[in-house]
């Protein structure tokens, strides 16, 4: 008899979501850098969801929402994509999965204590409308946790985003303005940075392990064994999440805002 619980066996049997470039997924060696760079924010901010009712608006593959179920009282996942909704329901049964538009959140007023929105705002056409919806569904003094690529380092010197799935990228000042105008006080602005081991990998791969990956992807080239091994071995411990007071926020890879609903 198998010692693995039946619900875990069922989850393991679910077909992985395809990698489209619009979202990251776990379990792929070539995607591991981006997956860990996103996962670290869930890990470091999970305590802010402890014993609270949480909405993850734009939960994608669902791994982050599932991570939060370990500490939260309740986690509602929301995504607009049919395949993502079906996948989360099958693979992560602890998440209360719903389908809907982020511009019109399918929740009543004051429904949750925390809204999580990681690596999503840059995909939205009406960012102000979405922030206003977050304000509406949060309870008094509720918290909005948001991360997004830092425009300054993600699409340097470009008028349009490098990623074709992004509509508008933000720097720290622009993200702060968006949140304040939407009725929030920004309690902290953090940045995701490479830690010591990733800085070593940067040096090993021509100055940037990010550029090494993107260059081969754009050229359609096979990855050399050393690059693939280094990327596959990256963990969340290889990233640093630092306050703006600790390091220049404009140098960060991703921005992470902790915002409190202003009544």
């Amino acid at each position: 008899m198998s010692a693995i619980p039946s619900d875990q066996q069922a989850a393991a049997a679910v077909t992985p979501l395809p990698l489209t470039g619009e979202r990251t997924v776990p379990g792929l060696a070539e995607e591991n850098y981006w997956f860990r760079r996103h996962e670290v924010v869930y890990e470091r901010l999970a305590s802010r969801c402890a014993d609270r009712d949480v909405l993850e608006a734009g939960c994608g593959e669902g791994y982050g929402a599932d991570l939060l179920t370990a500490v939260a009282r309740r986690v509602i996942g929301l995504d607009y994509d049919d395949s993502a909704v079906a996948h989360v329901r099958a693979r992560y049964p602890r998440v209360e999965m719903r389908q809907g538009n982020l511009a019109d959140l399918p929740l009543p007023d004051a429904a949750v204590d925390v809204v999580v929105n990681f690596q999503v705002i840059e995909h939205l056409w009406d960012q102000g409308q979405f922030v206003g919806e977050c304000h509406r569904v949060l309870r008094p003094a509720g918290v909005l946790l948001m991360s997004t690529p830092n425009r300054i380092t993600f699409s340097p010197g470009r008028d349009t985003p490098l990623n074709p799935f992004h509509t508008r990228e933000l720097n720290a000042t622009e993200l702060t303005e968006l949140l304040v105008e939407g009725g929030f006080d920004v309690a902290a602005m953090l940045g995701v940075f490479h830690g010591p081991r990733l800085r070593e990998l940067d040096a090993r791969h021509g100055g940037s392990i990010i550029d090494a990956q993107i260059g081969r992807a754009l050229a359609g080239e096979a990855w050399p064994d050393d690059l693939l091994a280094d990327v596959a071995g990256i963990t969340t411990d290889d990233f640093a999440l630092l306050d703006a007071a600790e390091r220049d926020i404009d140098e960060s890879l991703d921005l992470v805002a902790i915002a409190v609903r202003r009544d």
Side-chain angles (χ1 to χ4, degrees):
M1 181 179 293
S2 172
I4 302 175
S6 58
D7 58 342
Q8 293 184 21
Q9 293 182 45
V14 175
T15 302
L17 280 179
L19 187 62
T20 64
E22 188 174 11
R23 60 181 170 239
T24 189
V25 299
L28 299 177
E30 293 86 350
E31 181 68 8
N32 188 56
Y33 169 85
W34 300 102
F35 171 67
R36 300 302 180 187
R37 182 167 145 180
H38 292 182
E39 185 185 33
V40 66
V41 182
Y42 287 98
E43 288 185 353
R44 306 287 169 85
L45 297 189
S47 62
R48 294 180 178 272
C49 299
D51 301 318
R52 295 184 173 184
D53 295 329
V54 178
L55 166 68
E56 183 173 12
C59 66
E61 195 274 345
Y63 66 89
D66 185 64
L67 184 155
L68 297 177
T69 62
V71 297
R73 179 168 54 225
R74 176 190 188 197
V75 177
I76 301 168
L78 177 68
D79 206 278
Y80 74 97
D81 182 73
D82 292 339
S83 61
V85 172
H87 176 85
V88 175
R89 286 174 175 163
R91 184 165 186 173
Y92 305 113
R94 296 185 298 181
V95 177
E96 298 180 29
M97 192 61 196
R98 301 184 186 182
Q99 186 167 20
N101 190 333
L102 270 63
D104 185 17
L105 297 176
L107 273 72
D109 295 355
V112 294
D113 304 298
V114 181
V115 174
V116 172
N117 183 248
F118 292 160
Q119 304 295 320
V120 173
I121 190 74
E122 66 277 3
H123 294 263
L124 304 182
W125 289 104
D126 195 336
Q127 296 174 343
Q129 169 71 17
F130 169 69
V131 172
E133 279 291 279
C134 292
H135 187 278
R136 179 184 65 79
V137 302
L138 280 167
R139 294 166 184 152
V143 176
L144 172 59
L145 304 176
M146 181 177 287
S147 76
T148 189
N150 179 10
R151 175 174 59 79
I152 296 173
T153 58
F154 198 82
S155 297
R158 293 176 58 94
D159 294 329
T160 57
L162 181 65
N163 187 317
F165 294 103
H166 293 181
T167 61
R168 180 196 176 206
E169 295 171 354
L170 304 161
N171 62 28
T173 299
E174 292 162 343
L175 178 56
T176 299
E177 291 173 350
L178 178 68
L179 294 171
V180 170
E181 290 172 1
F184 290 89
D185 292 322
V186 178
M189 182 66 69
L190 312 174
V192 176
F193 297 88
H194 282 180
R197 183 168 174 271
L198 272 168
R199 292 197 295 272
E200 291 178 3
L201 294 183
D202 282 331
R204 186 184 304 172
H205 295 283
S208 171
I209 194 169
I210 298 173
D211 290 346
Q213 296 174 79
I214 292 175
R216 282 164 178 79
L218 293 176
E221 299 175 352
W223 288 34
D225 291 342
D226 62 337
L227 176 61
L228 184 59
D230 284 343
V231 169
I234 292 170
T235 73
T236 55
D237 290 337
D238 295 322
F239 294 91
L241 188 61
L242 303 176
D243 188 272
E246 300 175 85
R247 186 167 172 185
D248 185 354
I249 198 70
D250 288 343
E251 296 177 357
S252 67
L253 301 168
D254 298 316
L255 303 168
V256 181
I258 301 171
V260 179
R261 184 186 188 272
R262 187 172 64 244
D263 296 326

